[in-house]
Amino acid sequence: MISASKIKSVDFYRKIPRDLTEASLSGAGLSIIAALSMMFLFGMELNHYLTVSTSTSVVVDRSSDGEFLRIDFNISFPALSCEFASVDVSDVLGTNRLNITKTVRKYSIDSNLNPTGSEFHPGPIPKVMNHGDEHEGEYGEGSVSLTAGNFDKYTHNYPILVVNFYAPWCYWSNRLKPSWEKAAKIIRERYDPDMDGRILLAKVDCTQEGDLCRRNHIQGYPSIRIFRKGSDLRSDSGHHEHESYYGERDTDSLVTTMETLVAPVPIESHNHAVDNNSSDVTTTTKRPAPLAGGCRIEGFVRVKKVPGNLVISAHSGAHSFDASLINVSHAISHFSFGKKLSTRMLSEVRRLTPYLGESVDRLNGRVYFTKHDDANANVTIEHYLQIVKTELMSRRHFPEHRLVEYEYTAHSSLVHSLHIPVAKFHFVPSAMQVLVTENPKSFSHFITNVCAIIGGIFTVAGILDSILHNTLRLVKKVELGKQF
C-alpha cells in the first residue's frame, strides 16, 4: 500500500509555512493590479468568444432555390383608377404577361390614400368582341347630351340612366357612337320618357365636361355607366354606387341589356326609388364602378431571374386614354424580393450580420408624387433596381438549410413619355451572390486562453514582486553599510 508520504512527494504545489513568509506593501499593490488585470483580460476574452465571427465571400449564384424570383409589393396610386389599373411583367427572354390578377388585389382609395371600400372587382372582366355595328347605316341623335348643369337632374329623375362618357377623338368611342345612338333611339321609342320614364340613354363629351368626367372617375373612353335612382350616394366626390357596363357594343346587345335592366322596374316606380336588383343575364357584363379615382395595388408576382420589368399602368383592349390626363404618382408601402423571413429567422439574420438588411426594402415608405399640370403631363416614373442575393450559413438549426435574403439598390427618375405614362420597375438580378458563413468558436481554445491569462499574469506579477523585493533589500543593505 502506498504511503501518504510518497503521495505527497509528487505535489507540484509545495507549500511554504505561513510563519516563513513575509507580506509587503509592494506585494499587496502588485496583487491588486494583477487581479484587476486578470478580470479585465478575462472579460475581453469572454466577449471575443461570445461575439459572432463570420467570413464573407462572393461566388457565382448556383443556388438551388429555383429559377424564379418572387416580388412582393404594396403600392398606392391616388390618381389611377382600379377600373383600368393593370400589372404587367416582361423580361429579356421574351416573357410578356399582361394584367396579372391571380395574385394581385386592388382596392379603391381616395386622394389621401384612404380605402373607400372592399376589394375592387375580384372577378374577371368580360372581353368585348363587338365594338359596334358592322354595317353602320344611317342613324340620328337618339341619346341625350348631359352637362354638369343637368347631370344631377337626370340621374334623380330616371330609375335607370345609362350614360356613355366619350371623347370625340377616341377610336373606340367613334366605333360605339352609331350603335349607341341607334340603341338610344329604340329604347326611347319602346320606353317613352314622358309615358314610361323608367330608362334613358345619355352621353357626356369628356373633352367639354372634364370636371364632370373627373367627378365620376372616368379615365378611359368610352366608359358606359349605369346609374340607378335611389342607390347613388351624393358626396363631394360624385356618384359612387353605380355600375360599369363591359358587354358587347353592337346595337342588338345594347338594346337587350337595356331591356333586361328595365324589366324588373315597375312602370309606376319612376317617381320612386327602385331596388338595386337586376336580372342575372346582365351580371356578366356589369361590375361596380370604381368608388374613387385612386387604387391601392398589392400582392406578388413570380419572375425569372433575368433582367425584366414590372409595369403598372392604365390598360384596356376596348378603351382609349388621354395620355396627358394619366397620372401615375404613387406611394410605395412595401417592395421586396424573395420569400418573407419569419420573425425568428429575421432575428438570426440580425445576429449574424447587424449591418445586413439596410438595403432589403430600399423603396419602402418612398413617395413619388408629381403635380399634374402642363409641365408634368405624360410623366413616366421609372425605378432601376440592382438585386444582390445574400445567403447566410448559421450554426443553429433551421427548417431551411440556409437563410436567404435579397438586397437591392434603387435609383428613380421621372421621364417624359410620348405614350401613356406608366410606373415601371426595372430589375436586374446579379449573377453573383454574397455568401456569409458563421465561423464556429472552440470552447477548449477559450479555456486555454483563460488559463494562459491567469497563469501568465500570476507569473509576471511574481517576477516583478521578486525583483522589487530584492531591489528594496539591496538598497537597505547599502544604506546600512554607509552608516557603519
Side-chain angles (χ1 to χ4, degrees), residues 112 173 261:
N112 296 320
S173 295
L261 288 172

Side-chain angles (χ1 to χ4, degrees), residues 335-337 356-362 405-408:
F335 198 96
S336 64
F337 294 89
L356 191 64
E358 296 178 357
S359 300
V360 173
D361 303 324
R362 292 295 297 272
E405 195 168 38
Y406 286 88
E407 293 188 303
Y408 62 90

